[in-house]
Amino acid sequence: MPELPAHSQLLLASGSPRRAELLEQIGVPFSRLTPDVPEEQGEDEGARAYVARLARNKAAAGLALAGAPATGLWALGADTLVLAGGQVLEKPRDFTDFESMMRSLSGREHAVVTAICLRGDGRQFEHLVETRVRFRHLDHRLVDAYWRTGEPADKAGGYGIQGLGAALVESISGSYSNVVGLPLEALVPMLEKAGIPYWREPSASGKTVTNRKDA
């Protein structure tokens, strides 16, 4: 058990079940709500600046939804995007969009970029992590079969490496948890600075998540 002050509380400002699972994995106590933050890239805004802005906005909106500022309350905002050939790949709109994404990723390397922002007590910590992922060569049969599983529909870039989408991946360079949606390697030092405990027993960790706003 790390020797950390335990007075700080964490609010996960995200409806992502995968981010919640990663916090649970390292025993972080947290509550959760989902702020309504518009996700629209500015006309002259670079992809990395865009994802960093969204993480900041989500953390700020999370604190605002929680009510009046409270000592020891921190909000974690995060956003993940997939970059292929300089193009941002969002969640697929339909099968046609998904198929186009898979063609652009097939047999090639792409970047998964996650920005995290931890905000509270008048302070803010930020980090941006990039992981390189290479896909196998994908034929139409495999692309069609994966779409029919239902998994790609709500995933940036159209796949989930922590799920069935792992079968599409040939290699990975960098943080695995970053590709899932929350780079733990970057997050843990931020938690320590904020005095937020981890390695807690399941009864005190994120398994007791409370949704304070519907996702």
Side-chain angles (χ1 to χ4, degrees):
M1 177 78 64
E3 295 297 325
L4 299 172
H7 66 278
S8 295
Q9 304 171 60
L10 180 65
L11 175 68
L12 176 61
S14 171
S16 166
R18 292 160 294 278
R19 293 189 179 115
E21 288 165 3
L22 285 167
L23 288 176
E24 291 173 2
Q25 177 183 318
I26 59 170
V28 179
F30 66 98
S31 57
R32 181 171 56 170
L33 52 74
T34 308
D36 184 15
V37 175
E39 298 187 5
E40 185 173 345
Q41 187 173 2
E43 186 175 344
D44 298 317
E45 186 176 35
R48 291 166 181 81
Y50 169 52
V51 74
R53 174 175 60 82
L54 287 181
R56 287 193 298 270
N57 289 352
K58 289 177 181 180
L63 282 181
L65 276 178
T71 302
L73 179 63
W74 292 78
L76 174 62
D79 198 77
T80 302
L81 57 78
V82 174
L83 281 173
Q87 180 184 3
V88 176
L89 301 184
E90 304 281 4
K91 298 174 184 178
R93 296 182 300 273
D94 50 31
F95 176 73
T96 300
D97 190 33
F98 168 73
E99 189 176 33
S100 175
M101 287 183 183
M102 293 301 101
R103 282 199 302 269
S104 71
L105 298 177
S106 177
R108 299 173 184 169
E109 187 177 78
H110 61 273
V112 179
V113 182
T114 300
I116 55 176
C117 177
L118 187 62
R119 180 169 177 163
D121 281 352
R123 294 183 291 164
Q124 181 168 289
F125 306 117
E126 299 180 69
H127 207 93
L128 190 142
V129 178
E130 183 168 328
T131 301
R132 309 297 297 186
V133 179
R134 178 175 292 276
F135 265 22
R136 301 166 48 204
H137 287 279
L138 311 177
D139 59 25
H140 177 76
R141 176 195 57 80
L142 185 60
V143 170
D144 180 68
Y146 183 45
W147 175 257
R148 286 189 282 106
T149 68
E151 185 176 87
D154 67 340
K155 307 291 191 298
Y159 75 98
I161 197 171
Q162 75 288 349
L164 302 174
L168 310 180
V169 176
E170 180 178 288
S171 64
I172 177 173
S173 177
S175 167
Y176 171 81
S177 60
N178 175 56
V179 185
V180 180
L182 192 63
L184 297 179
E185 302 89 341
L187 177 63
V188 168
M190 294 164 64
L191 296 176
E192 292 175 344
K193 290 177 183 177
I196 296 169
Y198 53 90
W199 288 1
R200 292 298 168 118
E201 294 299 322
S203 60
S205 74
K207 291 185 183 299
T208 58
V209 167
T210 56
N211 288 300
R212 300 173 63 179
K213 184 177 182 294
D214 290 338

